Amino acid sequence: MSDPQNFYAEVGGAPVFDKLVSRFYEEVAADEVLRPLYPEEDLGPAEVRLRMFLEQYWGGPRTYSDQRGHPRLRMRHNPFKVGPIERDAWLRCMRIAVDEAGFDDAHREQIWQYMTYAAASMQNSDF
Ligand code: HEM
């Protein structure tokens, strides 16, 4: 398994994270569970925030923290109900994005493990 700090460079950097997150948001835009959760009409700024966060987590540029401070992701999700249905919808969209991003098997498996763990830890409602 790669050190998360090397992952960004190993998989090809910015273009790969761009592709991953834009594919994810294409699915979010069409998802009847997730789309209503997003407060802004334009999903573009939310897409940029997720992309910056993931790039930083996986060893890329630290732009997320420069612009947004400490991630505190659980706290930032408090305004939104994230129950099992929302978590599964998020993972469904992310599965498509991860599968189509062009990772080799080992990197795909590593980032997918992380996504399932992160999505479960963002849950803030049992229903
Ligand atoms: C923000 C939903 C899981 C990372 C948001 C927002 C919503 C949302 C509605 C506000 C959009 C905005 O930025 O304007 C969900 C749902 C999830 C989920 C329903 C289901 C489990 C995750 C996970 C991660 C993540 C697993 C990280 C791997 C982020 C980031 C932001 C964000 C970085 C922007 C935070 C900021 O304001 O800087 N999410 N999210 N989310 N989410 Fe999630």
Side-chain angles (χ1 to χ4, degrees):
M1 191 180 296
S2 301
D3 180 339
Q5 286 309 303
N6 301 330
F7 187 99
Y8 179 85
E10 286 170 6
V11 300
V16 173
F17 281 78
D18 242 18
K19 186 173 179 192
L20 174 72
V21 177
S22 70
R23 187 68 186 89
F24 173 74
Y25 270 100
E26 254 175 59
E27 288 300 312
V28 170
D31 189 282
E32 55 191 29
V33 172
L34 295 178
R35 185 62 189 87
L37 286 181
Y38 286 80
E40 291 176 64
E41 195 179 321
D42 180 7
L43 288 174
E47 179 173 330
V48 171
R49 289 189 278 268
L50 179 60
R51 195 187 66 230
M52 290 187 308
F53 172 81
L54 290 173
E55 289 183 333
Q56 174 169 318
Y57 179 87
W58 291 103
R62 302 196 52 82
T63 324
Y64 180 88
S65 282
D66 292 345
Q67 293 191 9
R68 308 286 293 161
H70 191 289
R72 297 185 206 287
L73 281 192
R74 263 188 72 83
M75 188 195 77
R76 292 192 204 264
H77 287 77
N78 276 345
F80 316 109
K81 176 184 163 272
V82 183
I85 292 169
E86 290 78 12
R87 179 204 61 205
D88 288 352
W90 193 98
L91 282 172
R92 187 193 68 77
C93 297
M94 191 52 88
R95 177 84 237 187
I96 292 168
V98 165
D99 282 349
E100 294 183 10
F103 298 121
D104 62 31
D105 289 350
H107 287 98
R108 188 178 61 240
E109 187 54 28
Q110 185 174 0
I111 200 166
W112 180 245
Q113 289 292 318
Y114 164 80
M115 295 298 182
T116 53
Y117 169 82
S121 68
M122 225 55 81
Q123 230 185 290
N124 54 25
S125 166
D126 291 334
F127 55 88

